[in-house]
Amino acid sequence: MYKRQLQAVPYHCPVTNSHTFKLGQVDDGTIVAADEIDRCDRSGANVLRSDLVTCHASGRNVLSEFVKSCPVSDQPVLSEYFSTCSRCREEVSLPALQKEVCEACRSLEPVSKTDPTIAAILQKHPALARWKWWRLSQTRRVSIVQASGMVRKLLIICDRQNQRI
């Protein structure tokens, strides 16, 4: 006579769409696959791993409410890892800074007056047209423009939406 072995069927977690034999509870009371639960390094809350983001500056896994996006790198970073660029005065993440100057200010590229960004700025501020050479870099929020003549340079920080200096 054969002994029939019964095998348990793994539970299908509808929240995480995973199959498991181990269940756990996140802090809001939802029962989910235990392998999908992780702890927020900032609050200590037990949450779904998919609800956490990794801070680009510290490597800590935290809830998205604790981070903001760096305007230069577009990476999520905890607020305590931000500082002000000494050139453009943008608040940027520490990994985007080098000697207190952000990556955008360090990577100005030569452009002509016909560049769409420069043309829009010159249309709104025609007095700037006397400058001969132009360099440009952009963050999510601002255009960083350096205008140069034979002797002098002018740094212009403009809102990308309305070209307001």
Side-chain angles (χ1 to χ4, degrees):
M1 184 168 209
Y2 290 104
K3 286 190 177 182
R4 192 169 191 185
Q5 286 187 326
L6 297 176
Q7 277 198 318
V9 177
Y11 174 74
H12 175 257
C13 177
V15 176
T16 63
N17 203 28
S18 61
H19 293 81
T20 185
F21 289 106
K22 291 174 60 180
L23 298 176
Q25 182 176 10
V26 293
D27 285 356
D28 71 0
T30 307
I31 304 293
V32 296
D35 295 341
E36 301 295 326
I37 298 174
D38 206 347
R39 182 176 290 275
C40 172
D41 291 337
R42 168 62 75 77
S43 68
N46 288 318
V47 296
L48 287 174
R49 182 177 294 121
S50 61
D51 290 343
L52 297 174
V53 295
T54 302
C55 170
H56 183 66
S58 69
R60 293 169 62 190
N61 292 320
V62 297
L63 289 165
S64 59
E65 65 195 55
F66 298 122
V67 297
K68 56 186 178 179
S69 181
C70 173
V72 174
S73 68
D74 279 330
Q75 296 291 325
V77 179
L78 287 163
S79 58
E80 62 261 26
Y81 293 101
F82 275 80
S83 189
T84 303
C85 173
S86 63
R87 290 183 111 189
C88 68
R89 301 289 182 216
E90 275 273 272
E91 188 180 21
V92 298
S93 66
L94 293 179
L97 284 174
Q98 192 175 69
K99 296 183 180 177
E100 298 181 9
V101 178
C102 75
E103 176 65 30
C105 289
R106 292 191 316 270
S107 61
L108 293 167
E109 296 286 332
V111 293
S112 69
K113 286 183 178 182
T114 59
D115 177 89
T117 302
I118 302 300
I121 292 169
L122 291 177
Q123 183 177 2
K124 188 149 184 152
H125 308 282
L128 296 173
R130 65 182 178 91
W131 293 92
K132 188 168 183 163
W133 296 289
W134 298 87
R135 295 175 72 81
L136 172 68
S137 184
Q138 294 181 317
T139 71
R140 195 171 353 108
R141 294 188 287 241
V142 298
S143 295
I144 303 162
V145 179
Q146 180 180 297
S148 304
M150 292 301 281
V151 179
R152 298 186 335 179
K153 291 181 181 178
L154 176 67
L155 184 65
I156 306 162
I157 311 299
C158 295
D159 184 281
R160 283 187 70 176
Q161 298 296 323
N162 59 19
Q163 282 74 41
R164 195 180 97 238
I165 294 177

